[in-house]
């Protein structure tokens, strides 16, 4: 758990404990989404915090003997911090983005939440967030057709662009929902071509038609977990090793890695899995001198060939 994740939680934990004297460790851990050990680690850290001086009278007093949490001498942070303009703006932008999804088209609960947050955040945050416009990116009429198919429970026929293979493939899909991940809109559904649940980016749908067939996903069709992003490597995917300079470290945060090793001076060696080498070639070219392919050798060769071809095109235009 990083400090950036832990500090906001501690600033919320102390006011909660101050207003709920005698709260039980299991109950508080469940409320904050922690294990009991993680909560106790937080309490041990709180016990060493306080005002300058660092004498017993300056530090927060907390105990959890018998599972009952008691906290004292924490009046200076007894109330939660107010959201800053940047925090409130980010939250309002996210809520307005949710409001564009079909799941929230009915009812006014989300609109009421936005209105309350605007009042609490003040004019500054509300003014910033209202300057951001949202639009679901998709082929013409794709969003309308997809939403209608979801409402009526009908199967869809898609022409879908696959960038990794640079081809357009026909698909028949029983739609289950629309989701938004990392600012992109996706159709989730059972794909009969892949014989499994798949996500389809709306802006890669070249054409869509609603069929006169009732959507009936098989019993094993379950929603795809997109909590950590869309990309889900398989154990059968090729294992790739990259070395990254400090400028290229973002790869370890952006893509799921099986292993990350510090090499010193800010450099990293990462191991990840790739379904096809095409996107890795593009990633390596994007990295430039901030990363290099260590293995497999075949991928390193493809990157060199692609880079040489690109340079040759530049030279021919000079």
């Amino acid at each position: 758990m990083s400090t950036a994740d832990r500090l906001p939680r501690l600033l919320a934990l102390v006011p909660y404990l101050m207003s709920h004297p005698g709260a039980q460790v299991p109950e508080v851990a469940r409320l904050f989404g922690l294990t009991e050990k993680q909560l106790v680690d937080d309490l041990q850290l709180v016990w060493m915090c306080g005002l300058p001086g660092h004498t017993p009278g300056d530090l927060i007093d907390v105990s959890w003997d018998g599972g009952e949490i008691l906290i004292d001498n924490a009046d200076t942070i007894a109330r939660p911090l107010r959201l800053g303009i940047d925090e409130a703006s980010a939250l309002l932008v996210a809520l307005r983005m949710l409001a564009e999804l079909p799941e929230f088209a009915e009812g006014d609960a989300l609109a009421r939440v936005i209105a309350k947050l605007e009042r609490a955040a003040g004019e500054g945050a509300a003014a910033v967030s209202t300057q951001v416009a949202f639009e679901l990116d998709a082929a013409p009429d794709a969003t309308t057709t997809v939403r209608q198919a979801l409402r009526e429970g009908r199967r869809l026929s898609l022409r879908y662009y696959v960038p990794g293979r640079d081809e357009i493939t026909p698909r028949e899909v029983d739609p289950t929902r629309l989701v938004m991940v990392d600012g992109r809109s996706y159709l989730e559904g059972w794909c009969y071509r892949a014989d499994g649940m798949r996500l389809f980016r709306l802006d890669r749908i070249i054409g869509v038609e609603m069929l006169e067939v009732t959507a009936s996903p098989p019993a094993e069709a379950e929603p795809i977990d997109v909590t950590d992003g869309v990309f889900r490597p398989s154990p059968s995917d090729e294992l790739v090793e990259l070395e990254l300079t400090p400028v290229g470290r973002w790869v370890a945060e952006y893509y799921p890695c099986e292993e990350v090793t510090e090499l010193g001076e800010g450099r990293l060696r990462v191991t990840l899995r790739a379904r096809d080498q095409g996107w890795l070639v593009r990633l390596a070219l994007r990295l430039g001198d901030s990363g290099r392919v260590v293995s497999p050798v075949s991928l390193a060769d493809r990157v060199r060939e692609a880079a040489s071809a690109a340079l040759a095109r530049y030279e021919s235009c000079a």
Side-chain angles (χ1 to χ4, degrees):
M1 181 71 68
S2 69
T3 302
D5 294 326
R6 200 173 182 188
L7 179 59
R9 187 175 70 238
L10 291 175
L11 291 173
L13 176 63
V14 172
Y16 177 83
L17 295 176
M18 289 287 289
S19 61
H20 296 80
Q24 298 293 312
V25 168
E27 170 196 350
V28 177
R30 185 171 58 254
L31 178 66
F32 281 82
L34 304 170
T35 65
E36 292 186 25
K37 181 182 182 306
Q38 287 174 321
L39 176 59
V40 170
D41 288 344
D42 280 355
L43 294 175
Q44 289 174 332
L45 181 57
V46 167
W47 188 62
M48 294 183 286
C49 297
L51 297 172
H54 309 297
T55 66
D58 298 317
L59 300 177
I60 295 174
D61 184 18
V62 60
S63 66
W64 55 93
D65 293 338
E68 183 182 67
I69 306 174
L70 298 173
I71 190 167
D72 196 12
N73 202 31
D75 295 338
T76 52
I77 53 173
R79 296 180 60 188
L81 297 177
R82 290 180 60 86
L83 291 174
I85 288 181
D86 55 343
E87 295 168 320
S89 299
L91 186 54
L92 282 167
V93 167
L95 288 170
R96 289 201 173 97
M97 184 170 64
L98 282 177
E100 295 297 317
L101 296 178
E103 294 93 324
F104 300 96
E106 304 295 332
D108 61 349
L110 194 56
R112 293 200 305 272
V113 170
I114 291 173
K116 288 181 180 178
L117 184 57
E118 285 178 338
R119 289 195 296 271
E123 294 182 1
V128 171
S129 64
T130 53
Q131 295 177 23
V132 180
F134 302 99
E135 183 175 327
L136 293 178
D137 43 4
D141 300 324
T143 303
T144 301
T145 305
V146 167
R147 286 179 172 175
Q148 184 179 355
L150 284 166
R151 286 195 303 269
E152 299 181 12
R154 304 260 291 278
R155 185 170 298 174
L156 290 168
S157 174
L158 309 179
R159 292 175 61 242
Y160 187 70
Y161 175 64
V162 183
R165 299 192 296 272
D166 191 25
E167 65 179 18
I168 297 173
T169 60
R171 309 287 183 112
E172 286 198 5
V173 177
D174 285 345
T176 55
R177 60 173 176 162
L178 277 174
V179 295
M180 186 167 285
V181 186
D182 297 331
R184 299 283 188 181
S185 307
Y186 293 83
L187 163 66
E188 180 194 71
W190 181 268
C191 175
Y192 286 90
R193 178 187 176 102
D195 196 30
M197 292 292 284
R198 291 292 185 271
L199 290 169
F200 301 93
R201 261 178 56 171
L202 291 190
D203 60 339
R204 290 179 180 165
I205 296 177
I206 307 303
V208 58
E209 178 185 357
M210 190 168 62
L211 303 177
E212 295 294 333
V213 179
T214 301
S216 55
E220 63 267 27
E222 294 185 356
I224 298 173
D225 183 6
V226 294
T227 305
D228 297 322
V230 172
F231 179 66
R232 286 291 182 274
S234 164
S236 62
D237 293 342
E238 185 174 28
L239 201 60
V240 176
E241 189 176 28
L242 306 174
E243 282 190 4
L244 307 168
T245 70
V247 177
R249 289 176 67 97
W250 59 268
V251 172
E253 300 175 0
Y254 196 80
Y255 297 106
C257 297
E258 298 208 347
E259 187 175 347
V260 178
T261 304
E262 292 281 352
L263 299 178
E265 299 180 344
R267 297 179 301 118
L268 287 181
R269 179 182 292 113
V270 300
T271 303
L272 48 80
R273 293 192 179 273
R275 194 159 299 155
D276 65 78
Q277 289 191 352
W279 77 268
L280 272 169
V281 170
R282 294 191 294 274
L283 173 62
L285 294 175
R286 178 182 176 189
L287 283 168
D289 61 1
S290 62
R292 73 180 185 91
V293 177
V294 178
S295 65
V297 175
S298 61
L299 175 60
D301 291 341
R302 284 190 62 181
V303 172
R304 279 191 291 270
E305 291 170 2
S308 298
L311 288 173
R313 293 192 187 98
Y314 276 110
E315 291 172 359
S316 65
C317 296

